[in-house]
Amino acid sequence: MTPDQFKAAFRNHPAGVAVITADAGDGPVALTATSVFSVSAEPPLLVFSISELSSSTPTIRRADTVVVHLLGADQLDIAKLGATSGIDRFADTSIWKRLPTGEPYFPAAHAWIRGRIVNRMEAGGSTVVAVQALETHAPDPGAAEADAAQAHPLVYHNRTWHRLDEGSKIQ
């Protein structure tokens, strides 16, 4: 199978959009990822992969902790920021802060999870990173932001951004 054939197969497989931030001591980094998924609720574990081509990869490899931001359609600007190469993703100090533990994060994200990196595995031209969740900020169950009729997840499909909403629901 060629790389283009492999990419074509996944092009029609939608994925949720997340931005991962970290700071290993030499300044904050961010990248957009569609490879984030939960692995276990007990203990709370998630994984994501990072490409060797990303300028953020060296910092995330050295970091002990990361913040994984799970984005809604209203945070498309954050997704694009993390996906844009060659810019200072933290130049606009009005859109990010640091947690009391020091990690950079975007308060506007629909939900975020701070976690400790517990494992890294080289896989082709990427690194798969396993993270144990330590803290989260997410809408409370029953809150309007958590209601599937009002929450509109950001999804990446066929090389473009999409919004899930009631119109995309099938039964």
Side-chain angles (χ1 to χ4, degrees), residues 58-132:
T59 296
I60 293 173
R61 281 181 150 181
R62 290 190 321 274
D64 292 324
T65 59
V66 294
V67 178
V68 178
H69 303 75
L70 306 175
L71 302 181
D74 292 343
Q75 292 93 48
L76 178 59
D77 57 333
I78 297 171
K80 287 181 176 181
L81 182 69
T84 303
S85 297
I87 63 166
D88 179 356
R89 295 176 180 120
F90 295 89
D92 183 351
T93 57
S94 71
I95 63 170
W96 70 279
K97 296 180 180 183
R98 287 195 183 267
L99 293 170
T101 49
E103 297 89 351
Y105 80 109
F106 296 102
H110 175 73
W112 55 261
I113 300 167
R114 181 179 73 87
R116 178 164 317 289
I117 296 174
V118 294
N119 204 347
R120 295 173 183 86
M121 179 183 80
E122 302 306 312
S126 296
T127 301
V128 177
V129 180
V131 176
Q132 181 169 0

Side-chain angles (χ1 to χ4, degrees), residues 10-91:
F10 271 92
R11 192 166 292 132
N12 283 313
H13 183 73
V17 179
V19 166
I20 297 149
T21 57
D23 189 341
D26 50 358
V29 298
L31 61 85
T32 298
T34 57
S35 60
V36 176
F37 63 92
S38 64
V39 175
S40 167
E42 185 61 39
L45 296 171
L46 64 92
V47 299
F48 61 86
S49 65
I50 50 177
S51 168
E52 293 303 314
L53 302 177
S54 171
S55 61
S56 298
T57 294
T59 296
I60 293 173
R61 281 181 150 181
R62 290 190 321 274
D64 292 324
T65 59
V66 294
V67 178
V68 178
H69 303 75
L70 306 175
L71 302 181
D74 292 343
Q75 292 93 48
L76 178 59
D77 57 333
I78 297 171
K80 287 181 176 181
L81 182 69
T84 303
S85 297
I87 63 166
D88 179 356
R89 295 176 180 120
F90 295 89

